Each structure stands twice: as structure tokens, then as C-alpha cells.
Amino acid sequence: MAVLIFQLYWLRVTYVNQQVSFEQLATDALQKAYDSAILSSLAGKKAVFGEASSVKLSTTNLNLEKLDRKSLQKLISGSKPIKSDTVFTVKEPTEGMNSFLSEVLSMSFFSQLSPAELNKSYREELKNRKIPLPFRLSILKKGTKINPSPGNILVQLKNKNQVVAAEFSGVSKLLLVNILWPIVLSFLLVVLITGCISLLARIIYRQKKLENMKNDFISNISHELKTPLAILSTTNDVLLNFDGLKDQEKTERYLRLSKDELYKLQGLIDGILSLSKMEHSEHGLGKPEMIYLHDLLKVVSSRFMELQGVEITLDLQVPNELVSVWPDALKTVLSNLLDNAIKYTPGNDKLIGITVSQDSKHYFFSITDFGMGISEEHQSYIFDKFYRVPQGNIHEVKGYGLGLSHVKSLVEKMGGEIRVVSQLKKGSVFTVQLNKK
């Protein structure tokens, strides 16, 4: 804001300076045009001084080299007798002498200012100063008050008997054109500073979001670790301190429970390590293999079909089920998407659909659910590492925000894309697009 205010102030000062400079140029041009018009009006005229004396004035032949202001004033006013045949001529008068002559002669009784001559001279003077603006000249009695029209600029000359005024229109446009480059540079500077501030704000906001995501990840991972550790600790305590080893059935049940929890811990660690390896390209996907899509989808879905209330439908819309893909990576991607679809579908009945289609260049794998959905504001972030859609203090769905990030990483490794279409409380459709090999 400070820079913007300074730029506006600077532009206003520049505009005012341009306006003052314009008024000075226009006034100077009016003065010269006025001098020229006065001298032109005296060419060939005869002035009578007293009863017997007269002076013939010619602006082309009068020699003023030895004529001072006092003697000329006496000459014109008729206070000094002059012979009737005395002639004064001007030879190439200088600019200063023109101004002096016009000032003196304008006070005499025989000088008459011609509006047409003044208009012509003024237009030429403005043209020499590169001022192509329309103007209106006025010759008024001294003391007349002149009010310029709104947006116009008025310049005027005042002498003993009259006021010569010139009113210009369209001055603002000319002044703005004159300061066009300062305006452009100021605009670019403001845009640059605004862009830098916006970028800085975006970085700060993203850092804050990453900090919150990190804290959420630590909280979630701590929760995920505490549960199996608590179960393992309890089962171990029962077996050691409460004669659990003497009961073979109880021992087998506790050991089986410990095995399941250890399996969950191993899966958690593998997921984090796998994502880290993918990000650092510690291993590739290998070469694609020819497989039957139906067999691959059946293997993936069979893992979840045994869950209570889960129903998975397959829809293969491809003429040839034998395709070239990376089977392990594709299984991981589909398994993660199916796992999320089941976890985020509330209720006892969970209907999930898997659809495979194709066009001339791509295969499309779509996972459809009718769960809680994802609001539009969170859809662009769900593939970020550690990101989980905020659920307040509700922790019904466990996770640590790495699944979709891992999926996206694998899909990009396969040269494909993943996108989501979701509507809150109506469900989601995740689509993986892979190139044909």
C-alpha cells in the first residue's frame, strides 16, 4: 500500500509538472504571437503627432539600433516635435525588440490588434512547440472575469487596456500521453510488487498448510502405532502374568491377535518406505507385462469381497482383455482406491464398481463408490502427501494420508494420470488413465 500510494503521488506530481510546463509554453507562444500581430498591424501606417508632424511607421524598414525606450515613447506619444518627413524602419527585429515594441506600441492610439492575425500567429507558434490542441482566443476588456470550461486550461496576457486569453480543450489527454511511460513503469512496478506479495502469501499459506498436515500426520501415525502396541502389550502381559500360557486355546488366540497387529505395523512401515522409495526413484517399475484384465481385477477385488456388506461389480468395456501393463503397480493402485472407497462409504451395505474402458490411445480404470464424497475445496489437495480431508474430532476412518499420494506417484511412474469427480454425500469416481503399450 505504501508503494502504491507513493506511485500515485509521484504520478500526480509528474502530471502537475507537465501541466505547469504546458501553461508556460502556451503563454510564451501567446506572447510571441501577440507581439507579432501588433507589429504586423503597424506596417505601412502613418501616425500624426501634433498639428504639423507625422511619422510613417514600417515594420520592415525601421532602424532601432540607436533608439532607446524613452525616446521611442516620446516619439509615439507625440510629446516631442518631429519633422513631417522623418521615417523610422525596422530591419530584422530581434525577439526581445519585438516584445519591447509590442508593449510600447500597444499603448499608443494608432495600434489595433487584429484577431485573425493573432489567431494565425498563435497557431504557428503552437505548431512550432508541437502542441496540436484546439483552442479559442478571446480579446476582452481589462478586468473581465474569465471562467474556463471544466477540464480546459486557460492562459492569458494582460496589458494596460485589454486581456488576451486562450482556452485549450483536450489538455488532459495530451498530458497523459506525455507521461505514458511513467504510468506504464509505475503500473509494472505495482504489478511486480503485488505479484511478489501474493507469491509470498501463497508460500506462507502453503507452509502453514504443510505444517498442519505434518502435525496431523504425526497425530495419525501416533494413533496408528499406539493401537497395535497397546494390544501387543496387553496380550504379552496376559500370557506372562495371568497364566495365559497354561491355556493353549487362549495362547493361540492371543498369538494370532498379536500376529495380526504385527502385520498392520509392517504394512504401515512398508507404506511409508514404499512412498519414500518412489519419490527418490530408488527402484523402477520394470518392464510392462501382458496380462488378462479380468484375472487382475479378480485378484484385486477378492481381497475385499470377504468383508461384510461389501459388494464389488466388474464392468469390462474392452474388446481384448489381454493388455500390456505393470501388474504389481496397477494392483497397488486399484487396491488403495478400493480400500478408500470402502472405508469412506458409511453404512452396512457398500456397493463399489470397477469399470475398465478404452479409446484409441488410453485405458481408463474407474472406481466408483456411493460414500460420503469429497467437497470441491479439498479435491485438489487429496493427492498431497499426508493430506486428509478434515473431519473435525471424528476418527472413525483410520489412515495417515499417504495412500492417494502413493497412488498418484505410481500412476505418474506408469506415465498416466489420475483424476477424481466427487460430490459431497453422494460419492466419488476415481479414474486412472494409462497409455496403451
Side-chain angles (χ1 to χ4, degrees):
M1 289 299 297
V3 172
L4 178 60
I5 292 172
F6 173 77
Q7 290 297 315
L8 292 176
Y9 171 76
W10 177 65
L11 287 176
R12 172 155 182 80
V13 170
T14 304
Y15 180 86
V16 171
N17 291 338
Q18 286 288 327
Q19 183 175 339
V20 171
S21 176
F22 172 82
E23 291 177 356
Q24 291 175 347
L25 285 174
T27 304
D28 179 65
L30 183 58
Q31 180 67 61
K32 291 186 178 181
Y34 177 82
D35 297 342
S36 178
I38 286 290
L39 294 177
S40 297
S41 67
L42 297 173
K45 288 189 176 181
K46 183 181 289 186
V48 179
F49 301 94
E51 297 181 355
S53 300
S54 66
V55 178
K56 184 177 181 182
L57 302 175
S58 174
T59 58
T60 58
N61 297 313
L62 181 59
N63 190 342
L64 299 171
E65 293 180 359
K66 298 181 179 180
L67 190 62
D68 59 11
R69 182 188 184 97
K70 185 176 180 181
S71 60
L72 182 61
Q73 180 67 32
K74 290 180 179 180
L75 171 64
I76 295 175
S77 63
S79 60
K80 183 178 180 181
I82 305 294
K83 294 181 180 181
S84 59
D85 59 349
T86 302
V87 176
F88 295 91
T89 60
V90 177
K91 291 183 179 180
E92 299 180 359
T94 63
E95 183 177 323
M97 188 59 70
N98 275 351
S99 178
F100 166 66
L101 276 175
S102 66
E103 180 182 356
V104 175
L105 295 176
S106 63
M107 296 185 292
S108 68
F109 62 90
F110 57 88
S111 64
Q112 294 181 352
L113 181 62
S114 171
E117 185 66 29
L118 177 61
N119 186 78
K120 179 181 177 182
S121 299
Y122 195 35
R123 195 174 298 278
E124 290 178 356
E125 292 292 340
L126 292 176
K127 184 178 180 181
N128 293 336
R129 289 163 174 75
K130 298 180 180 180
I131 302 178
L133 294 178
F135 63 90
R136 185 181 65 182
L137 279 173
S138 302
I139 304 175
L140 307 169
K141 293 182 179 180
K142 188 175 181 180
T144 304
K145 188 176 181 181
I146 307 174
N147 295 319
S149 303
N152 293 353
I153 288 183
L154 183 70
V155 295
Q156 54 185 335
L157 299 176
K158 297 181 180 180
N159 55 34
K160 186 176 181 181
N161 301 319
Q162 58 191 7
V163 176
V164 180
E167 185 177 359
F168 290 87
S169 59
V171 179
S172 298
K173 292 182 179 179
L174 178 64
L175 298 181
L176 289 175
V177 170
N178 290 340
I179 63 172
L180 180 61
W181 276 112
I183 292 176
V184 171
L185 291 177
S186 296
F187 175 76
L188 292 177
L189 180 61
V190 171
V191 169
L192 177 62
I193 294 175
T194 304
C196 292
I197 293 174
S198 300
L199 180 61
L200 181 62
R202 185 176 179 182
I203 291 173
I204 293 174
Y205 173 77
R206 186 168 182 83
Q207 288 296 113
K208 180 177 175 60
K209 190 180 72 171
L210 289 174
E211 180 71 17
N212 293 334
M213 289 167 58
K214 184 196 73 173
N215 293 335
D216 290 342
F217 169 74
I218 294 174
S219 176
N220 291 329
I221 204 72
S222 300
H223 179 75
E224 291 288 336
L225 290 172
K226 277 184 178 181
T227 301
L229 287 175
I231 294 174
L232 288 172
S233 177
T234 302
T235 56
N236 187 67
D237 188 58
V238 169
L239 291 176
L240 290 178
N241 300 321
F242 296 95
D243 297 328
L245 293 174
K246 295 180 181 180
D247 189 337
Q248 185 176 357
E249 181 182 354
K250 184 182 294 185
T251 301
E252 290 180 358
R253 186 169 70 251
Y254 285 165
L255 290 176
R256 194 177 297 111
L257 182 61
S258 298
K259 182 180 179 181
D260 292 339
E261 295 305 319
L262 288 172
Y263 178 78
K264 289 180 182 179
L265 281 174
Q266 186 64 43
L268 178 62
I269 295 171
D270 289 344
I272 298 174
L273 292 177
S274 177
L275 181 62
S276 177
K277 290 179 180 180
M278 290 296 296
E279 286 186 344
H280 294 87
S281 300
E282 292 185 10
H283 68 277
L285 299 176
K287 295 182 179 180
E289 301 176 12
M290 299 297 295
I291 62 167
Y292 285 95
L293 282 178
H294 187 272
D295 294 340
L296 183 142
L297 296 177
K298 194 170 182 180
V299 170
V300 172
S301 60
S302 61
R303 173 187 168 189
F304 303 96
M305 290 290 288
E306 298 178 358
L307 299 177
Q308 186 176 2
V310 174
E311 181 181 352
I312 300 176
T313 60
L314 302 180
D315 183 12
L316 297 179
Q317 302 176 6
V318 292
N320 185 8
E321 293 187 14
L322 187 62
V323 296
S324 176
V325 293
W326 291 269
D328 293 336
L330 186 57
K331 286 178 183 179
T332 302
V333 167
L334 296 178
S335 295
N336 275 277
L337 293 178
L338 282 173
D339 185 49
N340 279 352
I342 293 170
K343 285 194 301 185
Y344 291 99
T345 300
N348 296 325
D349 298 326
K350 305 175 187 291
L351 179 61
I352 311 298
I354 302 178
T355 303
V356 182
S357 59
Q358 68 176 30
D359 60 16
S360 59
K361 296 181 179 179
H362 308 96
Y363 292 110
F364 302 95
F365 299 82
S366 299
I367 308 296
T368 305
D369 67 70
F370 301 93
M372 61 181 64
I374 306 168
S375 61
E376 187 174 353
E377 61 180 308
H378 296 292
Q379 290 180 20
S380 57
Y381 303 112
I382 59 175
F383 296 105
D384 292 346
K385 188 168 55 174
F386 307 133
Y387 188 84
R388 297 189 70 199
V389 176
Q391 301 289 337
N393 292 324
I394 301 174
H395 299 284
E396 294 180 356
V397 180
K398 297 181 180 181
Y400 36 91
L402 292 176
L404 289 178
S405 177
H406 185 43
V407 166
K408 183 179 179 181
S409 179
L410 284 174
V411 171
E412 289 178 348
K413 286 282 186 179
M414 292 187 286
E417 298 177 3
I418 183 170
R419 54 183 178 269
V420 60
V421 177
S422 184
Q423 191 172 355
L424 200 60
K425 297 182 180 181
K426 291 189 176 180
S428 306
V429 179
F430 285 83
T431 302
V432 175
Q433 174 184 306
L434 297 178
N435 297 327
K436 288 185 175 181
K437 302 297 180 183

